Amino acid sequence: MNRLFVPALIAVLVLMPAIVHDAYVLHVAIVIGINVVMAVSMWLLGITGLISFGQAGFMFIGAMTTALLTKNLHWPFWVALPLSAVIPGLIAAPVGRLSLRVKGVYFFLVTLAFGQVVAGVFAYFEDPFGGWYGIRNIPPPQPATLFSTLNKVPFYYLSLGLVLLTCWVIHRISRSWFGNVLWSIRESDLLASSIGVNVQGSKLIAFIVSAFFAGAAGSVYAGYFGYISPLVFTFEYSVNILVFIVVGGFASMAGPIVGALVLTIVPEAFRVTGKYQMMAFGLILVFSMLLMPQGIIGAWQRLAVRRAFGRRIARQGGR
């Protein structure tokens, strides 16, 4: 059943625009896709025991790269997209070497400082970064007649394609020998180092891959919304990404996916409540932490184990 679930889910997602014609629903689905990419990319760091508050900074770099290349240099979006992923990855290499020298709260602070520096630099230089007002009228992907503001379907498939690519790559990494190395580092980096694991090098690779996909998400964001600003890619957004993972659960990659899905839909569902929107969001978050400390996926797995155990006891009792 598990083997059929993922292909069936992908088929439903591919066919969704043929079933759902509401532009607002497709817009929410696009935002969910961007949030899923960000959450999954941070989850890769999480399996090494690292939490970065600089993810929004790498996303901003990717979005800014796309904006500058497509609007100022008139490059095609399809050329800007891979470059917008590569450049944050390249920047992540020296940033990671510096930040990974420290651990715990100090690592949080270093990555937080990086995100603030990125936003500050882009905000200070109005030319070419647009200052606090950001950059508007970023060209959409080509052809422009297809990727228009009135047609959400192409953007939906662009977002879905990035989600599938990100999840496939990171899933393969997490299940590979390198993924086992990352899990072992999370359990004990000293123990992993004692058996010959290059702890710093492994963490750096995970940091770079995470920044790569964050930059790609930023590129899609810029191409879809046509506007970027330091006021969008803030520290709070990095915190929200972490919340997606915590609410969904760290145990598997399904956690950040479910967390991003639920916590993107919930604020939208309570949008009609106006000023009570964030209050409702906060209450749901608090109750989820109290009732499901291992996240939604962790709670689901425990429930499945209890049901399987109950069925086994029932079968033994009927004999």
Side-chain angles (χ1 to χ4, degrees), residues 36-37 40 162-174 213 253 257:
V36 165
V37 172
V40 171
L162 181 60
V163 168
L164 295 178
L165 175 63
T166 304
C167 291
W168 180 75
V169 171
I170 294 183
H171 174 74
R172 292 295 298 269
I173 292 175
S174 66
F213 285 108
M253 196 178 70
I257 296 174

Side-chain angles (χ1 to χ4, degrees), residues 240 242-250 255 258-260 262-264 266-267 278-300 302:
N240 286 341
L242 175 59
V243 171
F244 294 158
I245 302 173
V246 172
V247 170
F250 265 107
V258 172
V262 171
L263 294 184
T264 304
V266 165
M278 294 312 298
M279 181 184 297
F281 177 83
L283 290 174
I284 292 174
L285 180 60
V286 169
F287 281 117
S288 67
M289 291 294 94
L290 292 175
L291 301 177
M292 298 178 292
Q294 299 301 319
I296 296 173
I297 296 300
W300 175 263
R302 288 199 307 273

Side-chain angles (χ1 to χ4, degrees), residues 26-270:
L26 292 178
H27 164 75
V28 173
I30 294 167
V31 175
I32 290 174
I34 294 173
N35 287 338
V36 165
V37 172
M38 293 297 296
V40 171
S41 69
M42 184 184 281
W43 178 79
L44 180 64
L45 280 178
I47 68 175
T48 67
L50 298 174
I51 297 298
S52 171
F53 287 133
Q55 288 300 97
F58 289 119
M59 186 182 184
F60 196 5
I61 292 172
M64 184 61 71
T65 301
T66 293
L68 296 178
L69 291 179
T70 57
K71 184 175 182 178
N72 294 7
L73 300 181
H74 307 289
W75 285 25
F77 173 83
W78 305 110
V79 176
L81 174 58
L83 289 176
S84 299
V86 170
I87 290 176
L90 294 176
I91 294 175
V95 172
R97 286 186 179 276
L98 292 174
S99 59
L100 290 172
R101 293 180 179 179
V102 295
K103 298 180 181 180
V105 67
Y106 300 104
F107 178 80
F108 301 159
L109 293 176
V110 171
T111 55
L112 170 62
F114 167 76
Q116 298 297 96
V117 167
V118 169
V121 169
F122 287 155
Y124 183 79
F125 295 98
E126 293 189 10
D127 186 16
F129 303 132
W132 287 108
Y133 295 101
I135 299 179
R136 301 177 182 273
N137 301 319
I138 301 171
Q142 295 74 37
T145 54
L146 183 63
F147 287 87
S148 65
T149 55
L150 299 178
N151 188 6
K152 304 291 184 183
V153 175
F155 289 106
Y156 170 81
Y157 283 119
L158 173 61
S159 174
L160 177 61
L162 181 60
V163 168
L164 295 178
L165 175 63
T166 304
C167 291
W168 180 75
V169 171
I170 294 183
H171 174 74
R172 292 295 298 269
I173 292 175
S174 66
R175 294 299 182 91
S176 67
W177 67 268
F178 181 68
N180 292 332
V181 168
L182 298 181
W183 285 107
S184 67
I185 292 173
R186 180 184 179 184
E187 294 300 322
S188 174
D189 55 356
L190 292 177
L191 180 59
S193 179
S194 69
I195 60 175
V197 172
N198 184 351
V199 174
Q200 291 299 101
S202 300
K203 287 182 177 181
L204 181 60
I205 292 174
F207 193 78
I208 292 172
V209 173
S210 178
F212 176 91
F213 285 108
S219 178
V220 172
Y221 183 99
Y224 175 60
F225 286 97
Y227 168 73
I228 60 173
S229 164
L231 299 177
V232 175
F233 306 95
T234 59
F235 161 70
E236 287 78 8
Y237 185 65
S238 292
V239 173
N240 286 341
I241 299 168
L242 175 59
V243 171
F244 294 158
I245 302 173
V246 172
V247 170
F250 265 107
S252 69
M253 196 178 70
I257 296 174
V258 172
L261 172 67
V262 171
L263 294 184
T264 304
I265 293 177
V266 165
E268 294 296 329
F270 284 92

